[in-house]
């Protein structure tokens, strides 16, 4: 085999390996997920986040509306003032939802994994980061449907 053929074969094998890894990660197979997503506690956190509607998922759409309202010329000043208050409201809603989600995650971890004695802050941050991501873009893919009990 020539050097060129060997290189082409190596590229083909690498491409197949990446495809297998991507498929495994999408399905949530523990062997293929990233280290930050591994473990039964993280799986529980993902299920908790994926089973509820989160304000963070809608924050991006509202933020785009705020930008449009704030920077559109010839709008009355009252509309721009309303956009400013809407920004404040959005921040408060997302923060409150994040705090509630953190408490739900902490309670779920202590109920299901009583031997987990470490701080739950890392798991709460992981859950909140997942909560502000659009549901379709979450990796690994959600295993539970909206409203399903965990």
């Amino acid at each position: 085999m020539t050097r060129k053929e060997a290189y082409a074969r190596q590229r083909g094998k690498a491409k197949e390996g990446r495809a297998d890894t991507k498929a495994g990660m999408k399905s949530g197979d523990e062997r293929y997920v990233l280290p930050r997503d591994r473990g039964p506690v993280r799986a529980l956190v993902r299920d908790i986040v994926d089973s509820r509607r989160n304000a963070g998922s809608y924050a991006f759409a509202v933020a785009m509306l705020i930008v449009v309202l704030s920077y559109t010329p010839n709008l009355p000043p009252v509309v721009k003032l309303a956009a400013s208050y809407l920004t404040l409201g959005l921040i408060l809603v997302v923060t409150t939802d994040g705090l509630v989600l953190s408490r739900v995650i902490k309670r779920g971890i202590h109920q299901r994994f009583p031997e987990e004695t470490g701080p739950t802050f890392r798991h709460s941050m992981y859950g909140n980061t997942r909560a502000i991501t659009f549901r379709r873009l979450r990796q690994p893919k959600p295993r539970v449907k909206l409203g399903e009990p965990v």
Side-chain angles (χ1 to χ4, degrees):
M1 197 174 355
T2 66
R3 186 178 70 75
K4 197 179 222 182
E5 290 170 340
Y7 182 68
R9 176 185 271 181
Q10 184 182 6
R11 274 196 337 233
K13 283 184 181 180
K15 187 175 182 180
E16 288 173 11
R18 284 192 303 271
D20 291 343
T21 302
K22 187 175 181 180
M25 192 165 73
K26 278 188 176 184
S27 68
D29 187 355
E30 283 289 323
R31 295 174 294 168
Y32 295 107
V33 296
L34 296 174
R36 69 156 196 245
D37 299 324
R38 287 190 186 135
V41 176
R42 289 295 170 102
L44 174 67
V45 171
R46 284 195 304 271
D47 291 344
I48 289 171
V49 171
D50 294 338
S51 69
R52 64 192 297 268
R53 293 196 187 275
N54 301 295
S57 298
Y58 304 105
F60 185 73
V62 176
M64 287 295 104
L65 176 69
I66 291 169
V67 168
V68 168
L69 290 176
S70 296
Y71 293 107
T72 302
N74 301 328
L75 281 180
V78 165
V79 174
K80 294 188 181 208
L81 182 65
S84 296
Y85 285 125
L86 188 60
T87 304
L88 218 77
L90 178 66
I91 291 169
L92 287 174
V93 167
V94 170
T95 303
T96 304
D97 185 53
L99 291 173
V100 169
L101 178 62
S102 294
R103 290 185 60 109
V104 170
I105 289 171
K106 185 176 182 178
R107 190 177 325 118
I109 290 172
H110 287 307
Q111 284 176 352
R112 299 262 176 96
F113 301 101
E115 71 279 353
E116 184 79 24
T117 58
T120 57
F121 179 76
R122 293 177 301 143
H123 302 300
S124 296
M125 287 303 295
Y126 174 74
N128 280 305
T129 304
R130 188 169 175 89
I132 62 172
T133 306
F134 293 122
R135 186 174 173 87
R136 289 184 180 180
L137 299 178
R138 294 177 185 166
Q139 290 292 334
K141 295 287 184 191
R143 297 186 302 184
V144 296
K145 294 183 180 179
L146 284 173
E148 251 184 45
V150 177

